[in-house]
Amino acid sequence: VLSIDGKPFQEALNAPFRFTVIVNDILPGLRKLTAEAFLSNGQTLKTSLSFSVNPRNRRSLLFSAQDGGGKPFSAKSLEMIRLDLKDDRKSVGSYSLQAAGTVPLHLGILIDVSASMKSDQKMGKAKEAVSGFIDGMNPQDRGLLIKFSDAPEVMVDFTKDRTKLQHEIEYLSAQRGTALFDAVYKGVEVSSRVPECTIMVLLADSGDENVEGNGPASKHSQTEVIEFVRRHDVQIFAIGIGTPWQATFSKGEDELRALAKNSGGKYFSVSTAAELPAIFKAIMRDIKDQTKLSFVTPSGPPDGKWHTLEITAPDNKAVNVGQMVAASGKIGIYAGLIRNSGAIKADGVQVGAN
């Protein structure tokens, strides 16, 4: 008997015992293959090996879904509905649905440590909020920590070591300007090296601005960074601290909102830093409430071209698919019933409508 991750996969009753494993039939990630032979004398022979599956033509999407009445659909509920997937009008065979909270996630935290974060206990509350967010990570999740003022700095690369992440938070201190776009660019750059989609939480109390307050601090422009985000596997949940009558915050809010909107994420605004711990907890819930869809595309390996992905539910099932984060890109699916479609690219995705 051949088993994968403890589940029987193939069985042979007669010699010679040969098995063929088709990688496309296996979910991506680290897997354990076990072969057991049951002898006539009652003995059992067993051997195991670990292997990694990452087929180039497999796509993964994170998405949220609602029914016709706006009630959220869980991954378990969606499994009861037979969805029809088409890639460039070609039918997709098998697919899998998993709750995002049950699969390994890559979570990046980008925190503003500019001089303005010194006031109103912003830095202290930010540390508390980030610490709680890290505590909410699952053991299999990996965290990335980047701080930014005049320039971004990777404090901790992707790691499962939550103690290391917590330790580095204690050393955060506020100073100088806000290179917001350079920080996002750096986060996407680091995230592009991991095989799965990355979700980043971005916290700032102003827009991109140098310490003198007379120009941007970043070398990269907003347009350039948004395009870079869209071409890679990153979803951004952005948080802005401030009030509308603050000129620097108003500009920053527009920038943060644009980053969230163009990445399939969400934007949150808080007037005081005291609200941050609750917001970070809400973001973690939103992340884990998403569903991961994995499938093998008939379009083959990435080719740099745009492809159309269409998801259809049975006529008696109204499914409103929300934002979808595609492997190596984004796909924005607008509200709609029964039939939901957008455009997906092998190394990026453009927003599409029903």
Side-chain angles (χ1 to χ4, degrees):
V1 177
L2 193 70
S3 302
I4 295 179
D5 295 338
K7 298 179 180 179
F9 189 73
Q10 290 183 23
E11 181 178 302
L13 299 177
N14 301 308
F17 302 111
R18 294 176 180 173
F19 298 97
T20 300
V21 178
I22 300 175
V23 174
N24 285 345
D25 294 335
I26 305 172
L27 288 174
L30 187 64
R31 300 287 171 237
K32 185 177 182 180
L33 181 70
T34 302
E36 291 181 276
F38 301 93
L39 306 182
S40 57
N41 61 5
Q43 288 185 311
T44 300
L45 303 178
K46 182 177 180 179
T47 185
S48 299
L49 62 86
S50 296
F51 65 101
S52 183
V53 178
N54 188 27
R56 296 191 69 209
N57 60 336
R58 183 178 288 277
R59 301 288 182 265
S60 294
L61 309 171
L62 283 177
F63 69 92
S64 58
Q66 299 175 338
D67 62 17
K71 183 180 178 180
F73 260 115
S74 65
K76 188 174 183 179
S77 297
L78 285 169
E79 285 178 345
M80 300 174 67
I81 303 173
R82 179 60 197 177
L83 300 175
D84 180 40
L85 274 65
K86 290 184 179 180
D87 188 346
D88 284 346
R89 299 185 180 182
K90 298 175 185 176
S91 293
V92 173
S94 61
Y95 65 85
S96 66
L97 295 169
Q98 298 167 283
T102 65
V103 299
L105 297 173
H106 286 79
L107 304 169
I109 303 167
L110 279 62
I111 184 168
D112 179 1
V113 293
S114 61
S116 56
M117 287 291 289
K118 291 180 181 179
S119 62
D120 302 323
Q121 299 182 323
K122 291 179 187 175
M123 186 54 66
K125 282 297 180 181
K127 289 181 179 181
E128 178 186 337
V130 172
S131 177
F133 184 83
I134 292 171
D135 283 340
M137 290 169 56
N138 291 330
Q140 71 269 27
D141 295 340
R142 295 179 183 273
L144 163 73
L145 182 62
I146 295 178
K147 69 176 183 179
F148 62 97
S149 53
D150 282 344
E153 179 184 343
V154 178
M155 299 184 71
V156 184
D157 206 335
F158 282 112
T159 180
K160 293 182 181 180
D161 190 344
R162 286 184 285 179
T163 301
K164 185 176 181 179
L165 290 165
Q166 295 282 18
H167 179 72
E168 291 297 331
I169 292 171
E170 296 302 317
Y171 292 96
L172 294 174
S173 60
Q175 57 184 332
R176 302 188 64 77
T178 310
L180 177 68
F181 295 125
D182 282 356
V184 175
Y185 194 94
K186 173 60 71 174
V188 175
E189 198 172 50
V190 175
S191 299
S192 67
R193 300 197 293 263
V194 302
E196 293 288 339
C197 52
T198 298
I199 301 167
M200 292 198 306
V201 181
L202 170 63
L203 171 66
D205 73 340
S206 68
D208 197 297
E209 188 175 64
N210 61 29
V211 68
E212 291 81 15
N214 58 8
S218 291
K219 298 176 182 177
H220 300 284
S221 69
Q222 176 174 330
T223 302
E224 180 186 0
V225 170
I226 286 178
E227 177 61 23
F228 195 51
V229 167
R230 285 167 59 88
R231 284 190 165 275
H232 290 79
D233 195 10
V234 179
Q235 180 184 35
I236 299 175
F237 286 80
I239 308 168
I241 312 173
T243 51
W245 54 84
Q246 294 174 295
T248 55
F249 175 69
S250 180
K251 173 179 176 291
E253 186 171 48
D254 291 341
E255 294 172 350
L256 292 168
R257 195 185 299 276
L259 288 166
K261 179 181 178 181
N262 283 280
S263 67
K266 288 184 180 180
Y267 171 70
F268 298 83
S269 177
V270 298
S271 57
T272 67
E275 301 171 65
L276 289 177
I279 291 296
F280 269 82
K281 288 181 180 178
I283 289 175
M284 182 61 83
R285 285 196 299 271
D286 284 348
I287 291 171
K288 292 184 177 182
D289 283 345
Q290 295 185 103
T291 297
K292 181 178 180 180
L293 165 66
S294 298
F295 64 95
V296 175
T297 172
S299 299
D303 56 10
K305 298 178 181 179
W306 291 104
H307 298 275
T308 299
L309 176 68
E310 187 176 280
I311 301 176
T312 307
D315 290 343
N316 63 337
K317 296 291 184 181
V319 180
N320 168 14
V321 179
Q323 290 291 337
M324 301 185 74
V325 183
S328 301
K330 303 291 170 291
I331 177 167
I333 307 274
Y334 293 103
L337 303 179
I338 305 302
R339 197 177 184 87
N340 304 275
S341 61
I344 178 172
K345 190 180 180 183
D347 60 355
V349 174
Q350 65 185 2
V351 173
N354 299 332

